[in-house]
């Protein structure tokens, strides 16, 4: 895609296609390349506002969808939305109650950036680790996980943590990511899970 993804072009395309944000194309690109989502999958989207990934997910699966964000998500048909901080225990409890069996977790969350590089990177890593911890509670054995991150201090350690929990892990740049950005996506497939946890066994 390269240079066609200028701010103006991608913005106009997202408006034309009816997406709430240009990030929609990142998930489309990831799913085309890595087949993360199957037709019957139940999916949780962490950091989902304004909701373009939920719009894309709705076309990819007939399963249950839940999106959570600090900011309210304008309601969508057949999508559960939760307003709150997914790192907070009460919100995590609510998500677990609403979505007890999840095949896929996607996380495009990023904290509000201050511009102070080291501080921002530390906050991103902390948010990513919390998303991974929640994903472990939500995901069925064999499930998939996609998480936005930023390459920098402690990133390799984060990837190592993910590798301990999934059979296949890749770090990629989306073709829809702006040039020069350190943004990347961790694509983790086939959750190892806990063989003794009946709730997490695959039902296929
Ligand atoms: C880049 S936006 C997500 C865009 C979304 N994927 C879409 O396509 O519409 C990042 C979101 O992460 C959310 N976020 C950051 N930290 C969060 C947290 N702890 N809990 C819930 N949402 C969070 C922000 O409020 C923001 O809406």
């Amino acid at each position: 895609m390269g240079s066609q993804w200028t701010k103006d072009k991608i913005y106009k395309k997202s408006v034309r296609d009816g997406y709430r944000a240009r990030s929609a194309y990142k998930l489309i690109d990831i799913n085309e390349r890595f087949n993360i989502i199957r037709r019957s999958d139940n999916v949780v989207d962490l950091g989902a506002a304004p909701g373009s990934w939920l719009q894309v997910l709705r076309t990819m699966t007939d399963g249950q969808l839940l999106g959570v964000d600090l900011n309210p998500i304008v309601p969508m048909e057949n999508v559960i939305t939760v307003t709150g901080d997914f790192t907070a225990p009460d919100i995590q409890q609510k998500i677990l109650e609403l979505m007890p069996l999840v095949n896929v977790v996607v996380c495009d969350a990023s904290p509000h950036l201050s511009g102070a590089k080291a501080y921002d990177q530390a906050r991103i890593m902390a948010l990513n680790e919390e998303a991974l911890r929640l994903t472990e509670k939500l995901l069925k054995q064999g499930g998939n996980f996609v998480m936005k991150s930023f390459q920098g201090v402690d990133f390799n350690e984060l990837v190592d943590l993910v590798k301990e929990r999934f059979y296949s892990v890749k770090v990629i740049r989306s073709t829809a990511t702006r040039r020069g950005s350190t943004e990347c996506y961790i694509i983790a497939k086939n959750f190892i899970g806990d063989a003794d946890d009946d709730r997490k066994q695959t039902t296929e």
Side-chain angles (χ1 to χ4, degrees), residues 18 29 42 45 48-49 73 76 81 84 162 165 182 192 197:
D29 171 44
N42 297 333
D45 183 353
I73 300 164
M76 294 171 63
T81 55
V162 181
R165 289 152 178 84
T182 59
I192 295 167
D197 184 348

Side-chain angles (χ1 to χ4, degrees), residues 17 20 24 26 28 30-31 67 154 173 179-180 193 196 201:
D17 291 347
R20 295 178 182 187
K26 295 179 187 172
I28 292 169
I30 287 167
N31 202 48
D154 291 338
R173 278 178 62 79
R179 274 190 197 158
D196 295 329
Q201 302 305 301

Side-chain angles (χ1 to χ4, degrees), residues 182-196:
T182 59
E183 179 186 276
C184 61
Y185 285 86
I186 299 174
I187 313 289
K189 292 183 81 170
N190 206 351
F191 180 51
I192 295 167
D194 178 355
D196 295 329

Side-chain angles (χ1 to χ4, degrees), residues 20-24 26 45-54 68-71 84-88 107-112 127 148:
R20 295 178 182 187
R22 65 186 71 195
S23 1
K26 295 179 187 172
D45 183 353
L46 305 175
S52 79
W53 278 29
L54 290 170
V68 56
D69 203 286
L70 294 168
N71 300 314
D85 179 348
F86 69 74
T87 69
C107 176
D108 195 31
S110 42
H112 189 69
L127 190 64
K148 176 165 74 186

Side-chain angles (χ1 to χ4, degrees), residues 121-137:
Q121 181 68 12
R123 288 177 62 224
I124 289 160
M125 290 299 110
L127 190 64
N128 280 172
E129 280 185 35
E130 198 55 51
L132 176 61
R133 269 196 288 275
L134 175 57
T135 296
E136 285 178 68
K137 294 181 199 160

Side-chain angles (χ1 to χ4, degrees), residues 64-96:
Q64 283 187 304
L65 281 184
L66 180 147
V68 56
D69 203 286
L70 294 168
N71 300 314
I73 300 164
V74 174
M76 294 171 63
E77 211 174 322
N78 292 325
V79 177
I80 305 167
T81 55
V82 174
T83 304
D85 179 348
F86 69 74
T87 69
D90 59 328
I91 297 296
Q92 295 196 352
Q93 190 55 38
K94 192 169 176 180
I95 299 169
L96 283 157

